Amino acid sequence: MEANPGKTLPPGPAHTDGSVSHPQCAGEEDWVDSRTVYVGHREPPPGTEAYIPQRYPDNRIVSSKYTFWNFIPKNLFEQFRRIANFYFLIIFLVQLIIDTPTSPVTSGLPLFFVIMVTAIKQGYEDWLRHKADNAMNQCPVHCVQHGRLVRKQSRKLRVGDIVLVKEDETFPCDLIFLSSSRADGTCHVTTASLDGESSHKTHYAVQDTKGFHSEEDIDSLHATIECEQPQPDLYKFVGRINVYNDQNDPVVRPLGSENLLLRGATLKNTEKIFGVAIYTGMETKMALNYQSKSQKRSAVEKSMNTFLIVYLCILISKALVNTVLKYVWQSTPFQDEPWYNRKTEAERQRNLLLRAFTDFLAFMVLFNYIIPVSMYVTVEMQKLLGSYFIAWDGEMLDEGLGEGPLVNTSDLNEELGQVEYVFTDKTGTLTENNMEFKECCVEGRVCVPHAVCNGQALPDASAMDMVDASPGASGREREELFFRALCLCHTIQVKDDDEVDGPQKPRDSGKRSAYISSSPDEVALVEGIQRFGFTYLRLKDNYMELLNRDSDVERFELLEVLSFDSVRRRMSVIVKSATGEIYLFCKGADSSIFPRVIEGKVDQIRSRVERNAVEGLRTLCVAYKRLVPEEYEGICKLLQAAKVALQDRDKKLAEAYEQIETDLVLLGATAVEDRLQEKAADTIEALQKAGIKVWVLTGDKMETAAATCYACKLFRRNTQLLEVTTKRLEEQSLHDVLFELSKTVLRCSTSLTRDNFSGLSADMQDYGLIIDGASLSLIMKPREDGSSSNYRELFLDICRNCSAVLCCRMAPLQKAQIVKLIKFSKERPITLAIGDGANDVSMILEAHVGIGVIGREGRQAARNSDYAIPKFKHLKKMLLVHGHFYYIRISELVQYFFYKNICFIFPQFLYQFFCGFSQQTLYDTAYLTLYNISFTSLPILLYSLMEQHVAMDTLKRDPALYRDIAKNALLRWRAFIYWTLLGLFDALVFFFGAYFMFENTTVTSNGQVFGNWTFGTLVFTVMVFTVTLKLALDTHYWTWINHFVIWGSLLFYVVFSLLWGGVVWPFLSYQRMYYVFIQMLSSGPAWLAIILLVTVSLLPDVLKKVLCRQLWPSAIERVQTSRFVSGPPLGSHPLASL
């Protein structure tokens, strides 16, 4: 880190921690330009370095999408990017420009209604985002200027400002920690809104500035900071500070992530701190980790747009065929000029191409109803009204929170029925983030605490004997050493207070105190050991104090802390007792402790550890060794040399730790439970049975996350774990690791059949993959030969063949990148992300469906999600029941709308062959307008809101039914073509059935024949009855509402037609429908035609249903058949179950 100002800083030794250099590409680890920050905007002394003022953004945060000036053009542009809206706009303009068979109002009004409603909704949502941004940008902060405090708005902060932050305040930007009110120059911080962890983390002030406690002192500071340019990795920071004292040469100190206070984090248990702003506004790590909120579209909407294009092609083909045939027919002179309607000379002289083009557009408008705007209005209404069923679901109400599920967007309801991958956070989502000490195994004896009285374990609570019921003197000494090790080997801070913010539990001792730690495990262990008579009191003046079983205070001098890291997976402390003995106490994962042990009851302890791990408990082993003074002096020199290194500091420290933590004596092991949320395991099991792959993405360390995965049944006892971790990559290259894993998993997939959805069949080896953030960075990093996708594809192949994947040590943006990687893989699966903290917002926004858990860690996830639920267990019903119903309903709605409109318009197309291609309408204008709005709209809307083709309890009991609708099964091309052909068949029956039945026959009692309006009305009547009864045949869930709407809509059509044709309406310029409907109904053959043609139209669909159900039944159809054979109907109270 010897870079000069303006040059580049290397990424530094901590670069293997899963760093991401910028939001676009994870793992790109090129050197980045440095920035120089002048603390307090003071220039460096003359002759030291050049003063180069640099421009940085202010501290304004912007999450809104629109401004006042660009809202109308930008919103209209986005809305008309939708194919349907653009199409209806073109049709409306055509109707305005040329003389068409129908009025422009029929297309214009519905279009503008949809555009206005959507614009108002999106404008309101963006106004709320503006409001939230303004509240954040205008909150007051305190800065030091000219030796005094100045209050200013947050948005006016600049890089280089010295900021004062008080207890429980949130840091307004990314700060370098200069000093604090604590004498040791530390502060405690919670980062729940950043990485989801509610535990306290300790940060350290710069060594040379931690003594500046007043505004005057801090204002006298003369320093510059060199650091890397902004990048989103929360766990990485590389920089240095040059402090100018009286002498010419500055004091140079390295800066790391422990000196950096991030925007969004909160100061806890520290009165105040001073810090200098280095990243502001949209350059802060929090802002860089937030994805922009883009509009999500469901798979059903994409299918609708595709079908729309197909029908648009059909429409153009129809108009083209009719236009060509019209001019072929007119090629014979005077063919289209009957004696009563001769053309004028001006009409004959018109340009042929212009006439043909005008006719083509007129045919387009005539057949335009094949793609009705009412379908999009109905879909919007169905989504909006249907979303209330989630909010009203009493089973998804959480009594503790007093809250139920929230629906933030109704556009993705049906997507809940198409999910193939679930990406879930761990802490606070799968678990309650509430650790509880369960047991410890000391020298082979298993100790289970049951009760505590004044800090002392009761006699019946001391132990459960396993190997040695009554330990001898050496056993008793080892046991006490074990408890002392747990009291001393940690980084816990103690605060004596009545109200404390950190992880705490009341202790039954004289005064109430709380333990504060970055790890909830440590708190649980120290509190658990109290039950055996050892109480950790405090760390004061570098001495750790504890209360032993005899109520005596023991003092140990803390000499060194060998801090925990995810590669070593252990931590150690070196302490000196009052008698002068020096101990090294070490605790860590069993895999990192056992190989270093030379003495102790290894076999008994190992068997207990393995048993606890299988039960999903978090286990730690404890060991120690005595150090002689000469040995300790050697350790001091080794550690000091590593600590002062500016280059590769982490690597040198790791090597020193490896040398020190050897030849240990095993004392025992502990087991801590991170309580799973209620029914989390049951939910994951149900999702896997439904064919959904579940991935856990967490910022936690590997062992912790893996234990949780076992507890929630994501990994099972027979699961073979595959690792792509930093530790393994130190031994093998990434290329070798990936190819080795690929061979392992693909060997099985070639020999056995693999289920595409569930991942693994029952008789296969079950694989689980564990990957950490640093390894993911390397996989995502473009290779030197430019083949950036090779490792990604290999990684994806491995993941596809694993039943579950655990990604640990993930930065928030890396979570989003994992989701994006799967989302854009070749299968293009539908993804769902669920989390409870602000660190999950990026992946929630990236996934097709984002779900926030309304938890303890703030509401950022719930606010930015598409849906919010109180507990993880509610995901089961949301997907398997609500998602299933939503998809079934809307897929029927879409297919039915296209079906009924091809039934509607194809007879109009056929009619042109019988009217000289004159653009004469087959149906009256009232029928054209009301067909989609009134006569056939309500039945399908009610169906799409209330249909339950299978009982709700059956869907919950049999998750495998979810697979029947996977991969957009009901909107595939095969189903679409069937519905289209069915519509064409029915249209042919309507038209030609009516045509041939009445071609040369007398149909009324007085010998009159039907005219063209009567013919059109007959075709229309048969059509309305057929499409309505077709929906009745598809309905499985009959209620009084369905009966009322279906039979009521048919009755409404009859009553309307009687009134429309039975009264002379004075406001109409024509009376062509007068008495037409009544005359038709007075004819016996007309009644026969209606009954016969409706029956013939419905027959093929009925036959197809019966044959398919008998010969090739789906899982859902088998359930339906068994229900009708053996069970009662679904129920008589539909709304209660919804």
Side-chain angles (χ1 to χ4, degrees):
M1 297 200 309
E2 297 298 331
N4 292 321
K7 294 189 179 179
T8 59
L9 278 173
H15 212 287
T16 56
D17 64 351
S19 61
V20 185
S21 295
H22 53 80
Q24 286 73 29
C25 183
E28 190 175 329
E29 298 177 352
D30 297 330
W31 285 16
V32 292
D33 291 336
S34 67
R35 62 169 51 185
T36 302
V37 177
Y38 301 98
V39 178
H41 307 288
R42 296 184 65 178
E43 298 180 22
T48 52
E49 58 179 274
Y51 176 59
I52 309 169
Q54 299 177 36
R55 293 178 62 85
Y56 300 114
D58 60 19
N59 201 36
R60 188 181 288 114
I61 288 287
V62 180
S63 64
S64 53
K65 193 173 177 182
Y66 305 106
T67 66
F68 178 80
W69 304 107
N70 72 9
F71 174 71
I72 291 176
K74 192 173 180 180
N75 187 265
L76 287 178
F77 174 73
E78 286 180 354
Q79 291 208 56
F80 284 118
R81 281 171 62 192
R82 297 176 78 170
I83 298 171
N85 289 346
F86 185 71
Y87 163 75
F88 291 121
L89 177 67
I90 296 298
I91 291 295
F92 173 67
L93 294 176
V94 167
Q95 287 178 301
L96 284 177
I97 294 167
I98 67 167
D99 183 20
T100 57
T102 54
S103 165
V105 175
T106 57
S107 296
L109 272 181
L111 173 66
F112 291 128
F113 173 75
V114 171
I115 295 293
M116 284 293 293
V117 168
T118 308
I120 290 169
K121 174 189 166 191
Q122 292 181 352
Y124 175 70
E125 288 174 350
D126 205 62
W127 176 75
L128 292 178
R129 285 194 285 270
H130 271 284
K131 194 175 175 184
D133 288 346
N134 288 337
M136 186 180 290
N137 293 329
Q138 291 174 8
C139 70
V141 295
H142 294 92
C143 296
V144 177
Q145 288 182 1
H146 309 299
R148 59 190 180 88
L149 279 182
V150 176
R151 184 168 166 166
K152 62 165 73 170
Q153 290 183 345
S154 173
R155 63 189 175 90
K156 294 181 179 178
L157 273 182
R158 295 291 183 271
V159 171
D161 284 352
I162 297 175
V163 181
L164 169 70
V165 181
K166 296 179 181 177
E167 185 172 6
D168 294 326
E169 289 183 352
T170 300
F171 300 119
C173 59
D174 290 352
L175 305 168
I176 290 295
F177 182 18
L178 296 177
S179 70
S180 99
S181 56
R182 301 171 73 98
D184 57 358
T186 61
C187 73
H188 300 298
V189 167
T190 57
T191 55
S193 64
L194 293 168
D195 59 12
E197 293 184 14
S198 55
S199 54
H200 289 56
K201 296 178 175 62
T202 304
H203 287 255
Y204 301 91
V206 177
Q207 186 68 25
D208 298 86
T209 63
K210 69 178 184 181
F212 297 171
H213 296 297
S214 67
E215 291 80 12
E216 293 79 10
D217 291 342
I218 206 78
D219 191 52
S220 66
L221 175 63
H222 211 166
T224 59
I225 294 171
E226 294 171 64
C227 59
E228 61 192 2
Q229 293 289 10
Q231 50 93 6
D233 190 343
L234 297 178
Y235 309 112
K236 175 184 173 294
F237 176 74
V238 176
R240 66 181 179 190
I241 183 168
N242 304 306
V243 181
Y244 299 99
N245 297 319
D246 296 334
Q247 63 268 34
N248 291 330
D249 293 331
V251 177
V252 181
R253 298 285 184 192
L255 298 175
S257 56
E258 70 277 5
N259 309 116
L260 182 67
L261 304 172
L262 299 177
R263 177 175 191 145
T266 305
L267 183 66
K268 293 289 184 184
N269 303 321
T270 308
E271 187 183 334
K272 66 177 182 178
I273 65 103
F274 289 105
V276 58
I278 56 162
Y279 303 132
T280 52
M282 300 308 289
E283 289 187 343
T284 58
K285 289 182 181 285
M286 182 186 78
L288 293 175
N289 270 285
Y290 277 172
Q291 301 276 92
S292 59
K293 192 164 188 176
S294 58
Q295 192 172 4
K296 297 179 180 180
R297 301 196 190 284
S298 70
V300 170
E301 186 173 347
K302 291 169 187 170
S303 296
M304 280 171 59
N305 289 338
T306 307
F307 297 160
L308 182 87
I309 292 170
V310 173
Y311 271 67
L312 196 55
C313 294
I314 294 173
L315 170 63
I316 293 169
S317 303
K318 282 182 178 180
L320 205 57
V321 167
N322 275 2
T323 305
V324 171
L325 289 178
K326 176 174 182 174
Y327 283 92
V328 169
W329 184 66
Q330 289 182 358
S331 60
T332 305
F334 302 106
Q335 180 77 36
D336 65 332
E337 293 188 52
W339 59 268
Y340 54 82
N341 191 18
R342 296 283 182 187
K343 289 182 179 177
T344 64
E345 196 61 35
E347 286 175 330
R348 288 199 184 108
Q349 296 302 319
R350 279 182 69 196
N351 183 281
L352 180 64
L353 285 175
L354 185 61
R355 274 191 295 149
F357 182 66
T358 306
D359 283 330
F360 172 75
L361 292 178
F363 279 121
M364 286 279 288
V365 171
L366 182 65
F367 303 141
N368 163 48
Y369 294 93
I370 197 171
I371 310 167
V373 70
S374 61
M375 178 175 73
Y376 286 87
V377 176
T378 308
V379 166
E380 290 294 327
M381 288 176 65
Q382 189 267 348
K383 288 183 174 183
L384 180 64
L385 296 174
S387 65
Y388 286 108
F389 291 143
I390 290 180
W392 292 339
D393 192 329
E395 289 182 19
M396 296 173 71
L397 178 72
D398 183 71
E399 305 259 337
L401 287 172
E403 292 191 61
L406 302 173
V407 179
N408 296 328
T409 176
S410 58
D411 294 338
L412 302 169
N413 294 344
E414 63 277 7
E415 205 83 326
L416 294 169
Q418 293 296 293
V419 173
E420 294 168 66
Y421 281 83
V422 167
F423 299 93
T424 175
D425 177 42
K426 183 189 75 72
T427 309
T429 304
L430 290 178
T431 69
E432 295 180 351
N433 199 19
N434 185 14
M435 308 296 173
E436 184 181 352
F437 181 84
K438 300 300 285 185
E439 67 170 50
C440 57
C441 175
V442 190
E443 285 285 292
R445 289 176 71 241
V446 178
C447 305
V448 182
H450 296 297
V452 170
C453 180
N454 294 327
Q456 299 295 318
L458 298 179
D460 65 336
S462 61
M464 176 183 73
D465 296 340
M466 178 181 173
V467 176
D468 189 354
S470 51
S474 64
R476 171 66 75 177
E477 183 186 343
R478 289 274 177 90
E479 183 181 287
E480 294 198 352
L481 205 55
F482 171 82
F483 292 136
R484 287 190 179 93
L486 287 176
C487 276
L488 299 171
C489 189
H490 54 71
T491 56
I492 283 177
Q493 304 280 333
V494 180
K495 179 173 181 181
D496 297 317
D497 204 337
D498 290 334
E499 292 184 6
V500 186
D501 295 299
Q504 66 166 37
K505 291 176 188 172
R507 300 190 297 166
D508 302 323
S509 53
K511 67 177 175 181
R512 187 170 171 204
S513 61
Y515 294 133
I516 302 163
S517 173
S518 60
S519 167
D521 298 70
E522 290 192 330
V523 176
L525 287 173
V526 172
E527 287 181 337
I529 295 307
Q530 288 180 45
R531 304 181 186 185
F532 297 101
F534 285 84
T535 304
Y536 174 63
L537 298 177
R538 61 180 173 173
L539 170 66
K540 183 179 181 183
D541 299 329
N542 224 34
Y543 280 87
M544 301 179 84
E545 297 179 0
L546 61 90
L547 195 69
N548 64 21
R549 281 176 172 163
D550 301 322
S551 299
D552 296 328
V553 175
E554 299 181 10
R555 298 179 85 237
F556 291 82
E557 184 182 357
L558 180 62
L559 302 176
E560 297 287 349
V561 176
L562 282 57
S563 54
F564 177 89
D565 66 68
S566 57
V567 178
R568 282 169 50 244
R569 300 191 286 188
R570 61 185 179 272
M571 75 159 290
S572 300
V573 293
I574 301 175
V575 295
K576 188 175 183 180
S577 70
T579 58
E581 291 178 308
I582 300 174
Y583 293 96
L584 179 143
F585 292 120
C586 182
K587 73 175 180 189
D590 56 320
S591 57
S592 65
I593 297 289
F594 285 142
R596 304 181 173 279
V597 168
I598 57 169
E599 189 183 332
K601 295 186 178 179
V602 178
D603 293 335
Q604 293 99 316
I605 293 172
R606 180 183 277 124
S607 66
R608 192 67 193 180
V609 165
E610 288 172 355
R611 177 177 167 180
N612 287 334
V614 167
E615 291 174 3
L617 300 179
R618 298 153 69 104
T619 57
L620 287 175
C621 293
V622 181
Y624 85 105
K625 73 172 176 179
R626 281 191 174 89
L627 301 174
V628 296
E630 295 79 14
E631 195 177 359
Y632 171 65
E633 284 177 17
I635 287 173
C636 279
K637 290 176 183 176
L638 191 64
L639 287 174
Q640 188 62 24
K643 283 179 179 177
V644 298
L646 292 180
Q647 290 287 355
D648 297 330
R649 189 193 311 163
D650 283 6
K651 184 179 177 183
K652 290 175 181 175
L653 277 172
E655 290 171 354
Y657 293 165
E658 285 289 322
Q659 293 180 42
I660 296 165
E661 295 167 328
T662 53
D663 303 332
L664 303 175
V665 177
L666 186 62
L667 287 171
T670 62
V672 171
E673 182 182 29
D674 182 5
R675 212 174 278 143
L676 278 180
Q677 282 201 12
E678 183 189 0
K679 295 185 179 177
D682 175 57
T683 302
I684 286 179
E685 191 174 15
L687 294 179
Q688 289 179 327
K689 285 180 181 175
I692 299 170
K693 285 195 172 185
V694 182
W695 289 29
V696 174
L697 311 183
T698 178
D700 240 332
K701 57 181 185 283
M702 190 180 91
E703 296 76 25
T704 306
T708 303
C709 290
Y710 276 111
C712 67
K713 297 183 183 175
L714 188 70
F715 295 157
R716 300 177 185 276
R717 293 186 67 170
N718 62 337
T719 302
Q720 181 180 338
L721 293 186
L722 312 174
E723 289 188 18
V724 185
T725 56
T726 309
K727 184 180 179 184
R728 184 164 181 183
L729 293 182
E730 287 179 348
E731 301 163 2
Q732 283 178 280
S733 69
L734 178 65
H735 180 276
D736 293 343
V737 169
L738 289 179
F739 272 91
E740 186 181 311
L741 296 183
S742 178
K743 284 178 185 175
T744 304
V745 296
L746 295 179
R747 193 184 306 122
C748 285
S749 66
T750 53
S751 59
L752 290 167
T753 305
R754 190 171 295 277
D755 188 319
N756 288 333
F757 297 117
S758 63
L760 296 161
S761 58
D763 55 349
M764 295 188 68
Q765 172 61 56
D766 191 8
Y767 291 109
L769 178 69
I770 299 178
I771 183 169
D772 61 16
S775 305
L776 178 70
S777 297
L778 296 173
I779 289 170
M780 302 291 283
K781 178 182 177 182
R783 293 170 65 183
E784 292 176 4
D785 57 4
S787 54
S788 61
S789 64
N790 282 9
Y791 284 160
R792 296 185 197 189
E793 287 304 318
L794 198 56
F795 173 64
L796 282 171
D797 281 337
I798 295 167
C799 291
R800 286 187 196 103
N801 290 281
C802 292
S803 59
V805 177
L806 165 63
C807 304
C808 48
R809 283 295 176 200
M810 290 279 138
L813 203 63
Q814 283 184 309
K815 292 185 178 184
Q817 284 160 345
I818 280 276
V819 174
K820 191 173 184 178
L821 184 68
I822 298 298
K823 182 179 169 183
F824 291 109
S825 61
K826 60 186 178 185
E827 296 90 359
R828 296 295 170 111
I830 304 299
T831 57
L832 178 146
I834 177 169
D836 68 321
N839 61 315
D840 303 311
V841 168
S842 291
M843 74 169 180
I844 283 171
L845 294 178
E846 183 62 57
H848 292 95
V849 183
I851 295 186
V853 176
I854 306 168
R856 304 174 180 178
E857 298 174 359
R859 293 297 177 100
Q860 290 91 336
R863 278 201 303 266
N864 286 277
S865 61
D866 304 306
Y867 303 90
I869 55 178
K871 289 282 192 296
F872 181 78
K873 66 177 180 179
H874 298 136
L875 186 65
K876 177 180 176 180
K877 187 174 185 184
M878 181 167 260
L879 297 188
L880 304 187
V881 178
H882 288 292
H884 195 119
F885 283 155
Y886 282 138
Y887 178 74
I888 289 284
R889 293 163 181 168
I890 202 165
S891 57
E892 174 89 9
L893 185 153
V894 171
Q895 298 280 31
Y896 178 79
F897 248 103
F898 281 114
Y899 157 77
K900 74 185 181 75
N901 281 287
I902 205 161
C903 288
F904 181 42
I905 287 303
F906 198 64
Q908 177 75 69
F909 170 73
L910 295 173
Y911 186 60
Q912 296 306 304
F913 289 84
F914 296 86
C915 68
F917 305 101
S918 62
Q919 293 130 29
Q920 169 66 38
T921 59
L922 174 62
Y923 316 114
D924 180 59
T925 306
Y927 288 158
L928 276 172
T929 306
L930 295 178
Y931 175 71
N932 280 309
I933 294 175
S934 299
F935 300 147
T936 60
S937 59
L938 270 182
I940 185 60
L941 179 61
L942 260 293
Y943 175 97
S944 66
L945 288 173
M946 301 186 62
E947 172 64 357
Q948 292 184 35
H949 60 305
V950 179
M952 196 179 289
D953 290 339
T954 306
L955 290 177
K956 283 193 282 190
R957 194 169 55 248
D958 188 0
L961 294 176
Y962 191 85
R963 300 186 189 198
D964 262 20
I965 60 168
K967 295 281 186 185
N968 209 9
L970 302 183
L971 289 174
R972 288 183 188 160
W973 284 109
R974 184 176 173 184
F976 171 70
I977 291 168
Y978 169 75
W979 280 86
T980 302
L981 292 177
L982 185 65
L984 289 172
F985 171 80
D986 289 353
L988 288 169
V989 171
F990 305 154
F991 186 84
F992 286 109
Y995 178 77
F996 287 122
M997 286 188 75
F998 306 117
E999 186 179 11
N1000 294 309
T1001 56
T1002 300
V1003 293
T1004 59
S1005 56
N1006 60 4
Q1008 290 181 347
V1009 294
F1010 281 166
N1012 67 311
W1013 293 115
T1014 312
F1015 174 73
T1017 304
L1018 179 62
V1019 172
F1020 191 81
T1021 303
V1022 174
M1023 178 174 57
V1024 169
F1025 273 80
T1026 300
V1027 298
T1028 305
L1029 292 175
K1030 156 71 177 156
L1031 190 64
L1033 286 173
D1034 285 351
T1035 301
H1036 296 91
Y1037 192 45
W1038 282 96
T1039 67
W1040 68 267
I1041 300 177
N1042 296 77
H1043 285 290
F1044 176 78
V1045 169
I1046 285 179
W1047 312 123
S1049 64
L1050 291 177
L1051 183 64
F1052 172 74
Y1053 165 69
V1054 173
V1055 171
F1056 173 83
S1057 297
L1058 288 171
L1059 288 173
W1060 186 244
V1063 179
V1064 176
W1065 299 100
F1067 57 84
L1068 290 178
S1069 58
Y1070 62 87
Q1071 301 294 333
R1072 62 192 179 206
M1073 292 301 293
Y1074 181 66
Y1075 219 64
V1076 166
F1077 192 73
I1078 298 168
Q1079 184 194 34
M1080 184 190 79
L1081 290 185
S1082 67
S1083 164
W1087 281 91
L1088 177 65
I1090 291 170
I1091 295 168
L1092 190 62
L1093 294 179
V1094 168
T1095 305
V1096 172
S1097 300
L1098 293 174
L1099 195 59
D1101 190 47
V1102 173
L1103 288 175
K1104 180 252 178 189
K1105 279 191 167 79
V1106 171
L1107 287 173
C1108 287
R1109 198 176 282 268
Q1110 291 298 319
L1111 301 176
W1112 309 285
S1114 66
I1116 289 174
E1117 287 170 342
R1118 282 194 289 270
V1119 169
Q1120 289 171 338
T1121 304
S1122 65
R1123 175 174 60 83
F1124 283 122
V1125 169
S1126 61
L1130 281 166
S1132 56
H1133 300 289
L1135 289 178
S1137 63
L1138 286 166

